[in-house]
Amino acid sequence: MAPAVIYGSQPDEAPLLVDKAGIKADVTNGTYDVKEDYAGDYRFAPIEEAQVSRAMIKRYFNMMYERAISDVVIIGAGSAGLSCAYHLAKSRPDLKITIIEANVAPGGGAWLGGQLMTPMVVRKPADRFLHELGVPYEDEGAFVVVKHAALFTSTILSRVLAFPNVVLMNATAVEDLIVRPDARDPAGRAQRVAGVVTNWTLVALNHDTQSCMDPNVITAPVIVSATGHDGPMGAFSAKRLVSMGLLKELGNMRGLDMNRAEPAIVNGTREVAPGLIMTGMELSEHDGSNRMGPTFGAMMASGIKAAREAIRILETSQIVDGKVIA
């Protein structure tokens, strides 16, 4: 539990009212006199600059304090990572789900379709997930088309963030994985991924230009890696497994074949190392499966399967203070 912190009380935000005719109305709550007037007399409640800083700082750093031990950490807030977070949060509202996203803008490559065009193609039966989210689409028989990929991404992002048990730390990079001896191996030789090592993305990108800037850590019994195929920060966990000796070599993503790629990604979603589930296109680099190009159904379905795998691990493990002990 976080230590008690006393903050000076602040009056509640005054409500903004507009009458049936759309005419502005003054609202006073005993402290503030505000006015919602779009004819030239819009007045805000007063504020001090320090209040803004303190409002952000106390919430963000209290969140960091509370999430230093999480139940599930999801690396990457693209279509697979967000689909995983949605299914996890909906199925298990008791879990503390922490999403780490290196970019300022979450969503990965799901803001557009292929070649910077806007429509998003989703093969059936993944259209059922769109229906659950309330994302409209046109039915083309074997697949459906969302008029703009951003409609899916903005919808799932808002739905995920609305869950009280989900937090998102964007502009935050995972620089490494925490690895400990696996308690399930009596000989103590097996290794288990037990958390993530984080830093601000701008710091992570500038280690070669500044003196040592040490990171932070988050402990969790389950890590879901959804960092996408190879790129500036893509396939991070897959590549790190190789460099620390938990995977002999990368399979390397094969050429595009939609019909082979999508089922391979969904069916291959699994715990690739103790404590580490891999989902989405990162699996193509890990396993050596084909790329699928601009079809997104496998990302959604793979994320859902990753959530189910995470729940399975949590329900079959004995966990104390974020560590699997049996």
Side-chain angles (χ1 to χ4, degrees), residues 9 12 27 33 41 90 94-95 110 130 132 169 189 194 206 219 230 232 244 251 255 277 298 308 310 325:
S9 61
D12 292 336
V27 181
D33 181 18
D41 191 27
K90 181 180 178 182
D94 58 306
L95 297 178
L130 296 175
E132 178 174 341
M169 300 180 189
R189 289 187 294 268
N206 281 279
T219 297
D230 197 14
M244 62 184 174
I277 297 168
R308 294 184 176 190
I325 63 170

Coordinates of all heavy atoms in Angstrom, one line a residue, residues 9 12 27 33 41 90 94-95 110 130 132 169 189 194 206 219 230 232 244 251 255 277 298 308 310 325:
S9 N -7.1 20.4 -0.1 CA -8.4 20.1 -0.8 C -8.6 21.1 -1.9 O -8.3 22.3 -1.7 CB -9.5 20.1 0.2 OG -9.6 21.4 0.8
D12 N -14.6 20.9 -6.0 CA -15.0 20.1 -7.2 C -15.2 21.0 -8.4 O -15.5 22.2 -8.3 CB -16.3 19.4 -6.9 CG -16.1 18.3 -5.8 OD1 -15.0 17.9 -5.7 OD2 -17.1 17.9 -5.2
V27 N -22.8 29.2 -13.7 CA -22.8 28.2 -12.6 C -21.9 28.6 -11.6 O -20.7 28.9 -11.8 CB -22.4 26.8 -13.2 CG1 -22.5 25.7 -12.2 CG2 -23.4 26.5 -14.4
D33 N -16.8 31.0 -10.4 CA -17.8 31.6 -11.3 C -17.4 31.3 -12.7 O -16.5 31.9 -13.2 CB -18.0 33.1 -11.0 CG -19.1 33.7 -11.9 OD1 -20.0 32.9 -12.4 OD2 -19.2 34.9 -12.1
D41 N -18.0 35.3 -24.3 CA -17.8 35.5 -22.8 C -17.6 34.2 -22.1 O -18.2 34.0 -21.1 CB -19.0 36.3 -22.2 CG -18.7 36.8 -20.8 OD1 -17.5 37.0 -20.5 OD2 -19.7 36.9 -20.0
K90 N -11.7 -7.3 -19.5 CA -13.1 -7.7 -19.4 C -13.3 -9.0 -18.7 O -14.3 -9.2 -17.9 CB -13.7 -7.8 -20.8 CG -15.2 -8.1 -20.9 CD -15.7 -8.2 -22.3 CE -17.1 -8.6 -22.4 NZ -17.6 -8.7 -23.7
D94 N -10.2 -8.2 -11.8 CA -9.4 -8.2 -10.6 C -7.9 -8.0 -10.9 O -7.1 -7.7 -10.0 CB -9.6 -9.5 -9.8 CG -9.3 -10.7 -10.6 OD1 -9.8 -10.8 -11.8 OD2 -8.5 -11.5 -10.2
L95 N -7.5 -8.2 -12.2 CA -6.1 -8.1 -12.5 C -5.6 -6.7 -12.7 O -6.3 -5.9 -13.3 CB -5.9 -8.9 -13.8 CG -6.2 -10.4 -13.7 CD1 -5.9 -11.0 -15.1 CD2 -5.3 -11.1 -12.6
A110 N -1.9 0.2 -36.8 CA -3.3 0.0 -37.0 C -4.1 1.3 -37.2 O -5.3 1.3 -37.2 CB -3.9 -0.8 -35.9
L130 N -15.0 -7.1 -33.9 CA -15.4 -5.8 -34.3 C -16.9 -5.5 -33.8 O -17.2 -4.5 -33.4 CB -15.4 -5.6 -35.8 CG -14.0 -5.7 -36.5 CD1 -14.1 -5.6 -38.0 CD2 -13.1 -4.5 -36.0
E132 N -18.3 -6.9 -31.3 CA -18.4 -6.8 -29.8 C -18.0 -5.4 -29.5 O -18.5 -4.8 -28.5 CB -17.4 -7.8 -29.2 CG -17.4 -7.6 -27.7 CD -16.5 -8.7 -27.0 OE1 -16.3 -9.7 -27.6 OE2 -16.1 -8.4 -25.8
M169 N 1.3 3.2 -20.0 CA 2.4 4.1 -19.9 C 3.0 4.2 -21.3 O 3.8 3.4 -21.8 CB 3.5 3.6 -19.0 CG 3.0 3.4 -17.5 SD 4.3 2.7 -16.5 CE 3.3 2.4 -15.0
R189 N 18.0 -24.7 -13.0 CA 18.6 -24.3 -14.3 C 17.7 -23.5 -15.2 O 18.2 -22.7 -15.9 CB 19.1 -25.6 -15.0 CG 20.3 -26.3 -14.3 CD 20.8 -27.4 -15.2 NE 19.8 -28.5 -15.3 CZ 19.8 -29.5 -14.5 NH1 20.6 -29.6 -13.5 NH2 18.9 -30.5 -14.7
A194 N 10.3 -12.5 -15.5 CA 9.6 -12.2 -14.3 C 9.3 -10.7 -14.2 O 8.9 -10.2 -13.2 CB 10.4 -12.6 -13.1
N206 N 18.8 7.7 -26.3 CA 20.0 8.6 -26.2 C 21.0 8.1 -25.2 O 21.8 8.8 -24.7 CB 19.5 10.0 -25.7 CG 18.9 10.8 -26.9 OD1 19.7 11.4 -27.7 ND2 17.6 10.8 -27.0
T219 N 7.7 -5.7 -11.8 CA 7.6 -7.1 -11.6 C 6.2 -7.6 -12.0 O 5.2 -6.9 -11.6 CB 7.9 -7.5 -10.1 OG1 9.3 -7.1 -9.8 CG2 7.8 -8.9 -9.9
D230 N 10.2 -7.0 -37.0 CA 11.5 -6.3 -36.8 C 11.4 -4.8 -37.3 O 10.8 -4.5 -38.3 CB 12.6 -7.0 -37.6 CG 14.0 -6.6 -37.1 OD1 14.1 -5.9 -36.1 OD2 15.0 -6.9 -37.8
P232 N 12.6 -0.5 -35.6 CA 13.4 0.2 -34.6 C 13.3 -0.3 -33.2 O 14.3 -0.4 -32.4 CB 12.8 1.7 -34.7 CG 12.3 1.8 -36.0 CD 11.8 0.4 -36.4
M244 N 20.2 -13.3 -24.8 CA 20.5 -13.8 -23.5 C 20.4 -15.4 -23.4 O 20.4 -15.9 -22.3 CB 19.6 -13.2 -22.4 CG 18.2 -13.4 -22.5 SD 17.3 -12.4 -21.3 CE 15.6 -12.7 -21.7
G251 N 13.6 -17.2 -36.0 CA 13.1 -17.9 -37.2 C 13.2 -17.0 -38.4 O 13.3 -17.4 -39.5
G255 N 8.2 -14.4 -46.4 CA 7.5 -13.6 -47.3 C 6.0 -13.6 -47.1 O 5.5 -14.4 -46.4
I277 N 4.6 -14.6 -22.9 CA 3.7 -14.9 -24.0 C 4.0 -14.0 -25.1 O 4.2 -12.8 -24.9 CB 2.2 -14.8 -23.5 CG1 1.9 -15.7 -22.4 CG2 1.3 -15.0 -24.7 CD1 0.6 -15.4 -21.7
A298 N -5.9 -11.5 -37.7 CA -5.0 -12.3 -36.9 C -4.5 -11.5 -35.7 O -4.2 -12.1 -34.6 CB -3.9 -12.9 -37.7
R308 N -6.1 -15.3 -23.1 CA -6.5 -16.6 -22.5 C -5.3 -17.4 -21.9 O -5.4 -18.0 -20.9 CB -7.2 -17.4 -23.6 CG -8.5 -16.8 -24.0 CD -9.3 -17.6 -25.0 NE -10.6 -17.1 -25.3 CZ -11.5 -17.7 -26.0 NH1 -11.3 -19.0 -26.4 NH2 -12.7 -17.1 -26.3
A310 N -2.6 -16.0 -20.7 CA -2.2 -15.3 -19.5 C -3.1 -15.7 -18.3 O -2.6 -16.0 -17.2 CB -2.3 -13.8 -19.7
I325 N 6.0 -18.7 -7.5 CA 6.8 -19.5 -6.5 C 6.5 -21.0 -6.7 O 7.3 -21.8 -6.1 CB 6.6 -19.1 -5.1 CG1 5.2 -19.3 -4.6 CG2 7.0 -17.6 -4.9 CD1 5.0 -19.1 -3.1

